[in-house]
Amino acid sequence: MLYDFLIVGLSIGILYGLVALGISLIYSGLDIVHFAHGEIFMFGAFFGLVLYDEAGFNYPITLFVAMILAGIMGVIIERVFYRRLTSQGGGYTVAGMGMIICGFGMAIILQNIAFLIWGANGRPMHVNFGMPVELGTITLPQSYVWILVVSVALMAVLHLFLKHTKLGLAIRAVAANKDIAYLMGVNVPLMISLIFGVACALAAAGGVLIAPINYVQVEMGYLMLIKAFAAAVVGGFGSLPGAILGGLMVGVFETLGAAYISGSHKDIYAFLLLIFVLMVRPTGLLGVAAKVKA
Amino acid sequence: MNALVQKSTASLDALKRIHPLMPWFASFVLLLPLPLLALNDYQIYLLNVICIMIILATGLNIVKGFCGQVTVGHVALYAIGAYTSGVLSVKFGVPFWFCLPAAIAVTMLAGALVGIPSFRLEGAYLALATLGFAQSVEIYIRVTNYLGSASGLGGIAPPSIGNFVFYDYFRYYYLVMPFMLIAVYASFAILRSATGRAFMAVREDALSAAATGVNVRRYKLIAFMLSAVYAGLAGSLFAHMVPGYVHPNNFTVIEMVTLLLMVVLGGIGNIWGGIIGAILVTIIADLTRDFYFYQLLMFGLVIVGTVLFMPKGIGGIIDRYFVSKRFVAAREKTAEQKRAEAAAAKSGES
């Protein structure tokens, strides 16, 4: 019984990690928290639904196309809306408060656009993965296997991209210091768009992966944002391995809490964990030092 | 237009010279017959809602505008105030005049709880933590049977003084309106006091505020607690208004967005702006009730648009108008002086 819950918690957790990875990536690159990230996740799930159920692509292609679509969407949002604010400089005083409020407004806009297009009802994504996998005494539905495998693969690809390519090096340079990166000939605005695109693609992958087990609905992004943020903070904000670790912790904590304490309060546990970590160790588990700004 | 503004500012100054509180008394007298002008009961109800929203927006302005702490979870404090008042009234039969202070006290404690993370969190961290708080409070109310869960908490007794019961919107207005005026006056008083200056120092730069001897943690906490007092007051007033019914749907994301829009559109940190925002948004939200589906989309667009193109909001425009007027007046004065000096010099020469 406990192992079943652990497996479920881990696979949900790795999804939280995937979305948290995007939030952390944007944070480390731009020093902003992207408030509309949960909505990108929701859009990704809907893209997946439309591509799979209505256009009839198979699952891996759906995943890939949805990621690309969401990535383009992220780039457009960054270019059209956030660019204006970040180019005005972004401290987090009242002037920088604009960034947060703008992100919040963006989330509301995206949510309502999705609501107008797809309606308020939750829709299932009918994917037939075949028989569950038997692992000793545990039977594991294939959708969970997909979640684990794809997430780990995406994380590995991201790691290779950031650590072993020239483009990844440029992104890390932008994250470290934008001015000096500029002087070294890095195209900083392009890199920022790229960061946004990659982060949004990761969120969309999370959405497509969760679609077969959960209903796809307009309100799914909102809770996801809070949980992914909790994951990012628990692991240490801005730290990419920390985001994954935090996601796993939040997933397991939440599933075990729902199983053994009270199922109807399930969505509160992540927040409790967040507050606890903030009180006890605000840098998170793997965070290096608390960044005062942002 | 200019003449009108000049006349009204001049008469305000004249009132202030009689007694500093005179303008407030005058506005009280002016607001007294307002419900008589309303065409129907619904408009009086709207007046009450506007008053409650002004209290909420003013409270939010204290923590957000004066102290610069980004919180989006203000609606949760409002809910806590409303539910404390409601539960005390329904389950324990406590009269309104004890429910109100109790609700304010409980909300203040909750505000302190929200404020404690602000010691360590700034900007977006804090915004998300408060967002999570608001979400958790709403979910908690929705699933807890004691609080009426998803069917709401009904039968909250209307307030009364002696035999006079505030049982309809018309009477309730005369309870809400004075509270609103007191709340707005108090926020001006806070802004002018040493506490208000400390808030602004924390907002501009927490580090240099600390270096000049402002206890940053203490003032952040005070700001959160003060704004929670406003939220508790508004919540309690809302809960006891006819029909004495609170529901988790009254405290959702929609309310959060509306509240944020009021403050952002009015201009963050501008009390008059917040009030204008509260009035405008409540009326517009009511007028566009038929387009319910598009309302939130519109609100979101206005929030983003305001931040991008009008970061100081309506209050900023008004401020600039007065500042530029003063500037023009000062320039004309110096020009006149110069002319007079030149004339004097000319007469001296001849």
Side-chain angles (χ1 to χ4, degrees):
Chain A
M1 201 59 180
L2 177 67
Y3 289 114
D4 287 341
F5 287 133
L6 272 181
I7 292 282
V8 172
L10 281 178
S11 40
I12 295 296
I14 208 156
L15 277 181
Y16 292 157
L18 212 55
V19 180
L21 208 57
I23 293 179
S24 257
L25 201 62
I26 292 179
Y27 175 77
S28 59
L30 275 105
D31 284 350
I32 61 169
V33 172
H34 186 210
F35 256 70
H37 212 66
E39 269 56 41
I40 303 280
F41 162 79
M42 177 264 291
F43 259 88
F46 270 110
F47 285 152
L49 191 73
V50 170
L51 288 170
Y52 188 86
D53 272 4
E54 285 167 25
F57 288 103
N58 65 13
Y59 194 68
I61 293 180
T62 301
L63 185 69
F64 188 68
V65 177
M67 279 173 73
I68 290 183
L69 283 177
I72 293 171
M73 205 170 110
V75 172
I76 292 173
I77 290 173
E78 194 270 330
R79 285 268 154 155
V80 177
F81 294 98
Y82 297 153
R83 180 62 54 90
R84 283 170 194 280
L85 288 167
T86 43
S87 61
Q88 287 163 12
Y92 281 89
T93 53
V94 176
M97 201 189 266
M99 193 68 219
I100 297 160
I101 294 170
C102 185
F104 194 69
M106 203 67 225
I108 302 292
I109 293 173
L110 288 177
Q111 202 176 1
N112 282 281
I113 289 176
F115 168 72
L116 291 175
I117 300 175
W118 291 297
N121 290 335
R123 289 202 256 167
M125 183 166 162
H126 305 285
V127 185
N128 193 7
F129 284 121
M131 291 305 283
V133 184
E134 303 265 346
L135 277 174
T137 56
I138 312 161
T139 48
L140 193 61
Q142 285 230 10
S143 48
Y144 288 97
V145 179
W146 266 91
I147 290 177
L148 289 168
V149 171
V150 174
S151 303
V152 171
L154 281 175
M155 286 166 186
V157 169
L158 183 71
H159 178 81
L160 288 176
F161 170 64
L162 284 179
K163 292 280 154 96
H164 296 285
T165 62
K166 216 164 181 189
L167 217 53
L169 185 68
I171 285 181
R172 283 189 292 144
V174 169
N177 190 326
K178 281 192 249 322
D179 292 336
I180 295 177
Y182 239 130
L183 292 177
M184 294 297 126
V186 176
N187 188 345
V188 174
L190 188 70
M191 288 306 128
I192 287 178
S193 291
L194 189 66
I195 290 175
F196 248 89
V198 169
C200 290
L202 286 176
V208 177
L209 286 171
I210 208 173
I213 45 175
N214 269 14
Y215 274 78
V216 180
Q217 57 186 16
V218 172
E219 278 150 12
M220 68 197 283
Y222 200 53
L223 280 171
M224 191 65 185
L225 173 75
I226 294 174
K227 286 175 188 170
F229 176 73
V233 170
V234 167
F237 221 49
S239 145
L240 300 187
I244 300 164
L245 186 68
L248 292 176
M249 277 184 67
V250 170
V252 170
F253 187 73
E254 181 184 286
T255 315
L256 292 184
Y260 292 110
I261 303 172
S262 153
S264 54
H265 292 80
K266 175 174 171 251
D267 294 328
I268 300 181
Y269 298 130
F271 175 67
L272 290 180
L273 187 65
L274 169 69
I275 289 295
F276 178 73
V277 170
L278 286 175
M279 295 276 183
V280 179
R281 194 178 151 83
T283 49
L285 295 174
L286 299 183
V288 188
K291 281 197 178 176
V292 179
K293 247 185 176 179
Chain B
M1 178 70 196
N2 256 326
L4 195 72
V5 171
Q6 228 154 25
K7 256 185 200 159
S8 51
T9 45
S11 53
L12 261 182
D13 284 343
L15 279 175
K16 256 183 208 162
R17 248 174 276 132
I18 303 171
H19 191 272
L21 285 180
M22 254 332 251
W24 296 96
F25 186 71
S27 53
F28 176 71
V29 173
L30 274 179
L31 284 176
L32 271 182
L34 207 56
L36 298 174
L37 296 176
L39 295 176
N40 49 36
D41 223 28
Y42 184 73
Q43 291 188 346
I44 304 179
Y45 160 75
L46 266 189
L47 278 179
N48 289 344
V49 172
I50 287 175
C51 286
I52 291 175
M53 284 303 158
I54 288 177
I55 297 176
L56 260 184
T58 315
L60 185 57
N61 235 336
I62 292 179
V63 66
K64 211 173 199 161
F66 298 178
C67 202
Q69 303 299 307
V70 198
T71 151
V72 280
H74 205 65
V75 77
L77 296 174
Y78 178 45
I80 289 173
Y83 268 90
T84 312
S85 210
V87 165
L88 280 178
S89 173
V90 173
K91 311 263 169 173
F92 302 99
V94 181
F96 169 75
W97 299 104
F98 294 100
C99 286
L100 180 71
I104 289 178
V106 170
T107 318
M108 203 164 91
L109 275 180
L113 274 182
V114 182
I116 289 171
S118 78
F119 296 164
R120 286 176 167 166
L121 304 180
E122 283 199 0
Y125 272 105
L126 187 62
L128 269 170
T130 53
L131 183 69
F133 172 72
Q135 201 63 13
S136 306
V137 168
E138 197 210 320
I139 293 173
Y140 184 78
I141 291 173
R142 227 175 253 285
V143 298
T144 308
N145 281 327
Y146 185 74
L147 298 175
S149 60
S151 54
L153 189 69
I156 303 165
S160 59
I161 302 174
N163 282 332
F164 189 84
V165 186
F166 294 92
Y167 61 79
D168 61 3
Y169 294 129
F170 183 75
R171 293 186 174 197
Y172 207 77
Y173 174 77
Y174 293 100
L175 181 74
V176 179
M177 192 266 286
F179 269 122
M180 183 269 286
L181 272 182
I182 294 169
V184 173
Y185 172 73
S187 89
F188 273 105
I190 292 166
L191 184 61
R192 272 198 305 266
S193 69
T195 317
R197 286 196 297 276
F199 286 163
M200 283 185 280
V202 171
R203 173 185 73 188
E204 295 305 332
D205 193 334
L207 200 63
S208 55
T212 42
V214 175
N215 188 339
V216 173
R217 287 187 170 198
R218 194 172 133 214
Y219 280 103
K220 275 184 183 173
L221 200 58
I222 290 178
F224 271 98
M225 284 164 87
L226 276 176
S227 84
V229 166
Y230 278 78
L233 173 66
S236 182
L237 284 172
F238 174 77
H240 285 270
M241 188 166 70
V242 216
Y245 176 69
V246 283
H247 189 274
N249 278 358
N250 292 326
F251 310 102
T252 54
V253 195
I254 303 174
E255 277 65 32
M256 203 191 287
V257 176
T258 326
L259 193 58
L260 187 71
L261 178 61
M262 287 171 191
V263 178
V264 171
L265 185 66
I268 295 164
N270 191 308
I271 300 174
W272 287 121
I275 294 168
I276 294 169
I279 297 171
L280 270 183
V281 172
T282 314
I283 292 175
I284 291 174
D286 182 68
L287 288 178
T288 54
R289 247 177 326 162
D290 297 341
F291 309 101
Y292 179 75
F293 287 145
Y294 304 94
Q295 212 172 41
L296 269 185
L297 179 64
M298 193 178 71
F299 283 3
L301 283 173
V302 174
I303 289 179
V304 172
T306 313
V307 171
L308 288 182
F309 301 111
M310 201 170 68
K312 294 236 159 100
I314 296 173
I317 293 176
I318 297 173
D319 269 357
R320 205 163 54 208
Y321 173 73
F322 277 108
V323 168
S324 66
K325 208 158 69 79
R326 227 175 289 154
F327 183 68
V328 168
R331 202 164 52 181
E332 274 172 6
K333 210 173 165 187
T334 47
E336 220 161 82
Q337 264 175 0
K338 269 185 190 161
R339 239 176 283 140
E341 274 168 23
K346 234 181 196 174
S347 61
E349 268 171 25
S350 61

